[in-house]
Amino acid sequence: MPAAAARCGCPLLLRQQPAAGLRRSFSSYSGMRRVCAAAGGGSGSEGRPPAYGGLLLDAGGTLLQLARPVAQTYAALGRPYGVTKREEYIKQGFKRAFSAPWPKTLRYQGDGRPFWKIVVAEATDCTNNDYFEEVYQYYARGDAWRLPDGAYRTLHDLKDAGGYATFKLAVVSNFDTRLRKLLKELNVSDLFDAIIVSSEVGYEKPAPEIFRIALDQIGVEASKAVHIGDDETADKAGANAIGLECWLWGEDVKTFSEIQDRILARNPQ
């Protein structure tokens, strides 16, 4: 989630997908799909094997979307602490701080607090530590974020991959240590075969190492996988550098149902 985060307003690092009813619904749906696959049917792919063997997903700005704009959140949480800046000012300050060169190797080291303290202070002109902690903890909750429409269903369906060999899923994200908790609260953590977090592995996209770690963990070759992210440099250039195809979220693909259709097609576009 590099410079693109500023474009989409991704902040201090992510709405709970309906849980029990949703799981029951998709459990029943998945069962029907397996029956169809056994009979030679499929989910929009007419029983064909998927065109890819694995999908890598960026988190912030792609799989995880903000429940409300970052400037709105910073302003609302900051009022008790004397924050009076207009939301447009906060938005511009956030973009400026987020995109500024970072002197250290990794932006997100451990819990990411050093980086995010600078961002919050630059965006709001408030250096009150209690305010920062409230903002930081807010974005550590699942209900501060949401999944794009159809994301849960697509991920669930791809695990079946039309009844063929197991399809592999991985998250590859420049994020801090809050990510695993967020994915769990959003009820998608168990759908992934690997969750690669930059603050844990010591590499940030576009470094080729972080993509290779993900591919190694899911056991899929770069030529047989596709990565989806929202940043031209961190995601697309980084993935392409190791022979990994990348679709930019919001440009090459705009919905998760489109992702599913392209992956399950015999001839990828």
Side-chain angles (χ1 to χ4, degrees):
M1 190 181 80
R7 295 198 304 272
C8 70
C10 291
L12 229 184
L13 311 177
L14 318 142
R15 228 169 259 302
Q16 199 95 314
Q17 196 76 2
L22 190 58
R23 283 193 293 268
R24 286 196 298 271
S25 170
F26 285 112
S27 175
S28 174
Y29 175 79
S30 179
M32 289 191 293
R33 288 188 72 256
R34 283 191 289 270
V35 170
C36 291
S43 180
S45 60
E46 299 177 354
R48 299 187 299 240
Y52 301 87
L55 169 65
L56 278 54
L57 278 172
D58 170 48
T62 303
L63 176 62
L64 302 180
Q65 303 288 331
L66 291 170
R68 63 176 180 172
V70 61
Q72 185 182 95
T73 298
Y74 279 25
L77 295 179
R79 290 190 189 102
Y81 299 94
V83 174
T84 58
K85 301 297 181 182
R86 293 179 293 105
E87 289 184 15
E88 183 58 32
Y89 177 94
I90 293 175
K91 179 180 178 180
Q92 293 305 317
F94 175 87
K95 288 182 178 181
R96 185 170 56 251
F98 196 94
S99 60
W102 186 244
K104 299 182 181 180
T105 304
L106 300 176
R107 289 182 182 228
Y108 310 117
Q109 299 190 47
D111 60 18
R113 275 184 168 86
F115 172 72
W116 288 115
K117 278 187 177 181
I118 293 174
V119 173
V120 173
E122 177 70 19
T124 63
D125 291 341
C126 180
T127 58
N128 184 298
N129 193 62
D130 290 339
Y131 167 57
F132 166 75
E133 283 298 322
E134 188 167 343
V135 173
Y136 182 88
Q137 294 302 331
Y138 171 82
Y139 286 109
R141 304 198 322 252
D143 60 3
W145 305 80
R146 65 175 179 82
L147 301 178
D149 291 342
Y152 185 91
R153 175 171 180 164
T154 290
L155 295 175
H156 193 282
D157 287 354
L158 287 176
K159 293 299 291 183
D160 285 342
Y164 292 89
T166 303
F167 187 87
K168 300 294 186 179
L169 297 171
V171 170
V172 184
S173 179
N174 291 350
F175 220 110
D176 59 54
T177 52
R178 290 172 291 179
L179 181 57
R180 291 182 183 275
K181 174 179 176 289
L182 293 171
L183 294 174
K184 185 174 182 179
E185 291 187 8
L186 288 161
N187 300 312
V188 294
S189 180
D190 292 343
L191 293 175
F192 291 98
D193 302 286
I195 297 173
I196 312 301
V197 188
S198 63
S199 63
E200 297 176 354
V201 301
Y203 297 102
E204 289 184 350
K205 297 177 295 182
E209 290 87 352
I210 193 169
F211 293 104
R212 291 194 180 107
I213 290 170
L215 292 170
D216 287 347
Q217 288 200 17
I218 64 174
V220 177
E221 297 177 5
S223 61
K224 301 296 184 182
V226 61
H227 173 67
I228 297 174
D230 65 334
D231 188 86
E232 182 79 38
T233 300
D235 292 302
K236 192 154 195 171
N240 290 168
I242 66 164
L244 174 63
E245 187 174 355
C246 177
W247 303 335
L248 282 179
W249 176 255
E251 294 184 26
D252 300 321
V253 287
K254 296 180 174 64
T255 66
F256 268 77
S257 60
E258 183 181 357
I259 292 171
Q260 181 174 346
D261 289 344
R262 290 184 64 172
I263 286 176
L264 295 180
R266 181 177 294 278
N267 298 309
Q269 298 177 6

